[in-house]
Amino acid sequence: MFDDGKRVSRVLEIQLDVTEKKQAERALKESETEYRGLFENAGTAVAVVDDRGLIIHANEQFEELSGYTRKEIENRFPYEQFVHPRDREHLRPSDDPRAKTARTYEFAFLNRWGMERYVHATVSPLPQSGHRVYSLIDLTDQHKLEQEIQSKDQFMANILRHSMDAIMALDADGYIRSWNRGAELMFGYKAKEIVGKSFHGLLSRDFLRSKELDRITRQYEKDGFVRNVLLHAVTNSGRPITINMTS
């Protein structure tokens, strides 16, 4: 400060405390580092999509899934480009950028070479920015295995259904749950007539009262199966027949 003679009379020292600012900057930097670590090591393919549907960030797993580098992807590709055309229309309502809660769905993901990967997607909104985080789990191998199992099950079901041997399935209480073509021919009952009824209803009255049935039942309870046992049954027309059963 100066006196009336323009001479320095006092000196004031002003110090600005920037501690809180530095702490905030440090916390922000640590938070960004932590976010980047979580983003890169999520264990799934992750992409951040802006309100235009454009991918602005992609992690290493997304690179591997898509076949593109993040430099090729970020701020260049819309997320929808990786969704198979047949899935785009029905996914759009679930992909509403205004949604406030996480959603999940499955779809065919198209990579760089046009190959389909079956993925499970979790979409989480980032309300402050309007962005969305897409986390994708590749279920292709599991999906193929399920399809193979289903195909084999259908194949076996067709064999059993059309086999000329009489094949039926019983529940734990002895009620008929399935009935094939061979059983229809042997007993004269259509599946819709017999399914849900007791297997014992097919046996003759004399055989039901016999000790032989008790012996077979005890053997089954002990071993869990029986092979080549003879049962006396009656067809739908009342004709007595003797059958060789393995269970």
Side-chain angles (χ1 to χ4, degrees):
M1 297 185 68
F2 300 91
D3 58 14
D4 293 339
K6 305 300 182 181
R7 291 174 299 183
V8 176
S9 61
R10 283 182 290 176
V11 176
L12 296 179
E13 182 180 354
I14 300 176
Q15 294 181 339
L16 178 64
D17 187 352
V18 295
T19 303
E20 291 185 1
K21 180 181 178 182
K22 292 292 185 182
Q23 289 177 340
E25 290 175 348
R26 187 182 304 111
L28 178 60
K29 187 175 181 179
E30 290 175 353
S31 177
E32 289 176 346
T33 301
E34 182 179 4
Y35 165 78
R36 175 59 63 178
L38 291 172
F39 183 73
E40 292 298 338
N41 300 292
T44 61
V46 181
V48 179
V49 179
D50 67 12
D51 55 1
R52 299 167 297 170
L54 201 65
I55 297 174
I56 57 175
H57 298 297
N59 70 353
E60 184 177 345
Q61 286 87 350
F62 195 92
E63 288 181 301
E64 293 176 0
L65 181 64
S66 68
Y68 292 95
T69 66
R70 68 187 72 191
K71 186 176 181 180
E72 293 175 301
I73 297 170
E74 293 176 348
N75 297 303
R76 292 174 180 268
F77 286 169
Y79 173 75
E80 194 174 77
Q81 177 168 324
F82 296 101
V83 180
H84 195 288
R86 69 169 177 265
D87 291 333
R88 289 175 187 171
E89 200 61 39
H90 77 264
L91 287 184
R92 279 172 184 157
S94 302
D95 205 25
D96 187 350
R98 297 167 297 179
K100 297 181 179 179
T101 58
R103 292 99 64 207
T104 62
Y105 50 80
E106 295 179 354
F107 67 93
F109 182 99
L110 291 178
N111 67 13
R112 182 175 199 140
W113 304 279
M115 296 172 61
E116 293 184 29
R117 305 296 295 179
Y118 192 75
V119 301
H120 176 89
T122 300
V123 186
S124 304
L126 299 175
Q128 293 182 344
S129 64
H131 298 164
R132 289 156 288 158
V133 178
Y134 288 74
S135 177
L136 309 179
I137 300 175
D138 190 349
L139 301 177
T140 305
D141 292 340
Q142 177 182 331
H143 187 60
K144 286 182 178 178
L145 180 60
E146 290 174 352
Q147 287 182 322
E148 288 176 4
I149 292 173
Q150 184 178 11
S151 178
K152 289 178 180 178
D153 286 346
Q154 290 175 345
F155 177 71
M156 290 303 298
N158 285 332
I159 291 177
L160 295 178
R161 187 178 301 116
H162 299 291
S163 173
M164 298 308 292
D165 291 330
I167 301 174
M168 65 191 78
L170 311 180
D171 64 18
D173 296 317
Y175 288 91
I176 299 168
R177 294 307 175 196
S178 69
W179 185 263
N180 79 336
R181 175 63 176 161
E184 289 183 0
L185 295 174
M186 178 178 288
F187 290 95
Y189 293 98
K190 296 291 186 181
K192 63 182 180 181
E193 297 176 297
I194 199 69
V195 170
K197 296 183 179 180
S198 173
F199 174 71
H200 282 185
L202 297 173
L203 302 179
S204 69
R205 292 182 181 179
D206 290 341
F207 190 76
L208 285 172
R209 292 192 293 264
S210 71
K211 294 182 180 180
E212 180 63 11
L213 180 59
D214 291 336
R215 185 192 67 79
I216 295 171
T217 302
R218 288 194 301 270
Q219 182 181 343
Y220 180 80
E221 291 174 349
K222 177 185 175 182
D223 300 332
F225 65 90
V226 291
R227 288 197 181 103
N228 299 320
V229 295
L230 297 180
L231 305 179
H232 298 284
V234 180
T235 67
N236 189 22
S237 64
R239 180 172 61 89
I241 58 174
T242 300
I243 59 176
N244 185 313
M245 184 186 76
T246 295
S247 174

